Amino acid sequence: MKAGARALGIAESAAGEQSTLAGAVVRADRVVDGLAFSTCTVGGMDATDAIVSLVDDIDRPDVEVLLLGAVAPAWYNIVDLSRIARTTDQSVIAVTFEASAGLEDGLSDAFSGDQLEQRLERYRSLPPRRPVSINGETVYVRTAGIERSRAETVVREFTPEGGRPEPIRVARAAARAGRDYRFSDA
């Protein structure tokens, strides 16, 4: 990937009833090239809309791919990867960092009735999670609008060290700072 290729990393940091979403445009050579923020409801179902809004707000036609740092941010606010890809006309790669048996047990413990069924339906519609080895670590990816082999290449190229892609790492730091600013006494 060329040094000037750009990805938009999206991560969240929750506090109270709202979670701060941050988007960080990062070039493949690690230069941060833009930031945007949005919010979604902790325990809600509005993360997909918030991510689409964030992509629209940042308005960067030079971004080649979206890298999401979670599929269930803000306490099971499950995203619809296919809808994000369709609506934004972007390739989407969701990257998670731990082996897992899935979210169904956690969802069943936390929700019931229609809230549970809505989340289970969206969760079950997600593309399968696949392991990818990067720098001696394993991450797990789900994709929409991009071939699996290309997604693996993108994740590796945007991960110069360790196992966390740089756009997600920067977005996570920005989300924490944005959350702290929003909830400070200043």
Side-chain angles (χ1 to χ4, degrees), residues 60 120 135 138 147 162 168 170:
R60 292 292 300 264
L120 286 173
N135 302 323
T138 300
E147 293 293 323
I168 294 173
V170 172

PDB file of all heavy atoms in Angstrom, residues 60 120 135 138 147 162 168 170:
ATOM      1  N   ARG A  60     -14.347  12.523   3.557  1.00  0.00           N
ATOM      2  CA  ARG A  60     -13.016  12.330   2.985  1.00  0.00           C
ATOM      3  C   ARG A  60     -13.070  11.300   1.856  1.00  0.00           C
ATOM      4  O   ARG A  60     -12.977  10.100   2.099  1.00  0.00           O
ATOM      5  CB  ARG A  60     -12.054  11.855   4.077  1.00  0.00           C
ATOM      6  CG  ARG A  60     -11.759  12.896   5.147  1.00  0.00           C
ATOM      7  CD  ARG A  60     -10.961  14.066   4.613  1.00  0.00           C
ATOM      8  NE  ARG A  60      -9.688  13.666   4.086  1.00  0.00           N
ATOM      9  CZ  ARG A  60      -8.539  13.700   4.760  1.00  0.00           C
ATOM     10  NH1 ARG A  60      -8.512  14.134   5.998  1.00  0.00           N
ATOM     11  NH2 ARG A  60      -7.430  13.311   4.186  1.00  0.00           N
ATOM     12  N   LEU A 120     -29.919 -10.067  18.687  1.00  0.00           N
ATOM     13  CA  LEU A 120     -29.526 -11.370  18.157  1.00  0.00           C
ATOM     14  C   LEU A 120     -29.656 -11.404  16.632  1.00  0.00           C
ATOM     15  O   LEU A 120     -28.790 -11.942  15.941  1.00  0.00           O
ATOM     16  CB  LEU A 120     -30.367 -12.489  18.779  1.00  0.00           C
ATOM     17  CG  LEU A 120     -30.038 -12.855  20.208  1.00  0.00           C
ATOM     18  CD1 LEU A 120     -31.064 -13.855  20.756  1.00  0.00           C
ATOM     19  CD2 LEU A 120     -28.624 -13.423  20.325  1.00  0.00           C
ATOM     20  N   ASN A 135       2.174  -9.573  12.895  1.00  0.00           N
ATOM     21  CA  ASN A 135       3.309  -9.301  13.778  1.00  0.00           C
ATOM     22  C   ASN A 135       3.348 -10.246  14.980  1.00  0.00           C
ATOM     23  O   ASN A 135       3.604  -9.824  16.107  1.00  0.00           O
ATOM     24  CB  ASN A 135       3.285  -7.844  14.259  1.00  0.00           C
ATOM     25  CG  ASN A 135       3.304  -6.859  13.115  1.00  0.00           C
ATOM     26  OD1 ASN A 135       3.969  -7.084  12.107  1.00  0.00           O
ATOM     27  ND2 ASN A 135       2.558  -5.777  13.250  1.00  0.00           N
ATOM     28  N   THR A 138      -2.633 -12.390  16.930  1.00  0.00           N
ATOM     29  CA  THR A 138      -3.822 -12.746  16.164  1.00  0.00           C
ATOM     30  C   THR A 138      -4.919 -11.734  16.443  1.00  0.00           C
ATOM     31  O   THR A 138      -5.205 -11.412  17.596  1.00  0.00           O
ATOM     32  CB  THR A 138      -4.321 -14.154  16.537  1.00  0.00           C
ATOM     33  OG1 THR A 138      -3.276 -15.097  16.262  1.00  0.00           O
ATOM     34  CG2 THR A 138      -5.556 -14.533  15.733  1.00  0.00           C
ATOM     35  N   GLU A 147     -12.978  -8.024  -0.350  1.00  0.00           N
ATOM     36  CA  GLU A 147     -12.597  -9.429  -0.349  1.00  0.00           C
ATOM     37  C   GLU A 147     -11.758  -9.743   0.894  1.00  0.00           C
ATOM     38  O   GLU A 147     -10.974  -8.918   1.355  1.00  0.00           O
ATOM     39  CB  GLU A 147     -11.784  -9.761  -1.604  1.00  0.00           C
ATOM     40  CG  GLU A 147     -12.581  -9.672  -2.888  1.00  0.00           C
ATOM     41  CD  GLU A 147     -13.665 -10.728  -2.975  1.00  0.00           C
ATOM     42  OE1 GLU A 147     -13.433 -11.869  -2.521  1.00  0.00           O
ATOM     43  OE2 GLU A 147     -14.753 -10.399  -3.480  1.00  0.00           O
ATOM     44  N   GLY A 162       2.992  -4.496  16.708  1.00  0.00           N
ATOM     45  CA  GLY A 162       1.955  -5.021  17.585  1.00  0.00           C
ATOM     46  C   GLY A 162       0.798  -5.593  16.791  1.00  0.00           C
ATOM     47  O   GLY A 162       0.949  -5.982  15.639  1.00  0.00           O
ATOM     48  N   ILE A 168      -7.214   2.410  14.186  1.00  0.00           N
ATOM     49  CA  ILE A 168      -8.049   2.075  15.346  1.00  0.00           C
ATOM     50  C   ILE A 168      -7.367   2.539  16.623  1.00  0.00           C
ATOM     51  O   ILE A 168      -8.020   3.075  17.529  1.00  0.00           O
ATOM     52  CB  ILE A 168      -8.352   0.564  15.389  1.00  0.00           C
ATOM     53  CG1 ILE A 168      -9.234   0.171  14.192  1.00  0.00           C
ATOM     54  CG2 ILE A 168      -9.009   0.175  16.708  1.00  0.00           C
ATOM     55  CD1 ILE A 168      -9.452  -1.321  14.040  1.00  0.00           C
ATOM     56  N   VAL A 170      -5.325   5.102  17.040  1.00  0.00           N
ATOM     57  CA  VAL A 170      -5.457   6.560  17.135  1.00  0.00           C
ATOM     58  C   VAL A 170      -6.902   6.941  17.464  1.00  0.00           C
ATOM     59  O   VAL A 170      -7.148   7.806  18.309  1.00  0.00           O
ATOM     60  CB  VAL A 170      -4.975   7.239  15.833  1.00  0.00           C
ATOM     61  CG1 VAL A 170      -5.283   8.725  15.842  1.00  0.00           C
ATOM     62  CG2 VAL A 170      -3.485   6.996  15.629  1.00  0.00           C
TER      63      VAL A 170
END
